Amino acid sequence: STQSTGGFPESQTKMERLKLYGTCSLADACFQLGINCHLRGITMRAPLVTEPTQTHRIVGPAHTVRMVPSKGASVASLPSHHVDVAAPGSVIVLSAPDSGYGCWGGLMSRRAKKIGCQGVVVDGNCRDLEESRELQFPVFSKDVTVLGVSGMMVPQAINESITCCGVLVRPGDFIHADVNGVICIPADRVEEVLHLVEQLETMDRNVAEALDRGESIKESFKKHRTKPKPLKAKL
């Protein structure tokens, strides 16, 4: 078992720019760049969406946690609870697939919100939805259960690379989540993604305006969806 409490050096500017865009637009950019980003099957469980314009969008560096069955191979106890060592501004990402137990609950949401975490993404189950919703703490998971994790699953490693829903998530990679789902953008590819998504968003705004003027989809796509300009390499 290993543990790291290091902070995240990524600039606030990148997170602010990423937060301007939804997961769908960023996923389009990632797809064009050949980046496997989509954490398939993970859905927003909290907070509740009560207005059409609410996205509950979160962006932050990944604080990764790998959960394993407690009745399997011997796992050494970690010196701190994995939530307690999450950096303010981070998004906690838990890998606990196919366990059937709730690896995230209301008390964890309470602590994570208190220390300034952006939210949590669980490749597995969560529970205590009413508590997380009351706290307005963003929780994204594959499923929901009533079963607790005590005695069934334990954290094996904190801030190591993990795989969630077939996507590699490294500590410090950018997690972007909203009502549409969750994506992971590698920290070393953020500038490429931003350069492309800014162009794609401009194209789509132009298409939307054309559609509002009464133009056909085929006509507006042909006119406004042009080939993006590549990012120039820094000398």
Side-chain angles (χ1 to χ4, degrees):
S1 298
T2 58
Q3 178 168 334
S4 168
T5 58
F8 301 101
E10 298 291 347
S11 72
Q12 188 68 26
T13 303
K14 287 182 180 178
M15 281 191 281
E16 290 169 351
R17 289 168 66 196
L18 284 170
K19 203 164 186 178
L20 294 173
Y21 306 102
T23 51
C24 293
S25 296
L26 288 163
D28 287 346
C30 287
F31 179 80
Q32 291 194 28
L33 293 167
I35 298 171
N36 180 27
C37 71
H38 183 207
L39 275 62
R40 295 176 185 270
I42 293 186
T43 302
M44 188 174 76
R45 309 293 177 178
L48 284 173
V49 177
T50 56
E51 299 292 337
T53 55
Q54 286 180 320
T55 65
H56 295 296
R57 186 176 298 163
I58 62 170
V59 182
H63 170 83
T64 60
V65 183
R66 185 187 304 116
M67 303 291 292
V68 295
S70 57
K71 295 182 179 179
S74 179
V75 178
S77 296
L78 299 178
S80 302
H81 192 281
H82 62 81
V83 178
D84 288 331
V85 294
S90 66
V91 178
I92 299 170
V93 184
L94 284 164
S95 173
D98 306 319
S99 72
Y101 302 99
C103 293
W104 189 269
L107 296 176
M108 292 184 182
S109 288
R110 191 171 296 275
R111 175 60 174 157
K113 181 174 182 177
K114 185 68 176 178
I115 63 178
C117 294
Q118 296 289 316
V120 63
V121 174
V122 186
D123 181 7
N125 298 278
C126 69
R127 67 177 200 160
D128 302 327
L129 287 185
E130 70 276 29
E131 191 170 351
S132 293
R133 288 169 178 172
E134 183 181 354
L135 290 164
Q136 291 286 294
F137 184 75
V139 176
F140 299 79
S141 72
K142 264 193 173 177
D143 213 336
V144 180
T145 183
V146 298
L147 300 176
V149 75
S150 180
M152 305 308 296
M153 301 282 288
V154 293
Q156 181 190 51
I158 299 173
N159 275 335
E160 289 188 0
S161 295
I162 59 175
T163 300
C164 287
C165 309
V167 175
L168 175 66
V169 182
R170 302 169 301 179
D173 283 347
F174 284 93
I175 302 299
H176 190 292
D178 61 20
V179 293
N180 294 293
V182 182
I183 61 172
C184 174
I185 303 174
D188 57 355
R189 305 291 301 274
V190 172
E191 282 299 338
E192 291 176 82
V193 172
L194 283 168
H195 178 77
L196 181 52
V197 76
E198 287 161 3
Q199 297 179 71
L200 297 179
E201 280 278 299
T202 299
M203 293 179 201
D204 278 359
R205 278 197 300 273
N206 291 336
V207 169
E209 291 170 3
L211 293 174
D212 288 343
R213 291 193 300 268
E215 294 183 23
S216 68
I217 290 177
K218 183 176 182 180
E219 181 183 13
S220 57
F221 275 21
K222 183 177 180 180
K223 186 184 298 184
H224 299 294
R225 282 195 164 176
T226 56
K227 187 176 181 179
K229 297 176 182 178
L231 179 65
K232 292 181 180 179
K234 293 181 181 179
L235 300 176

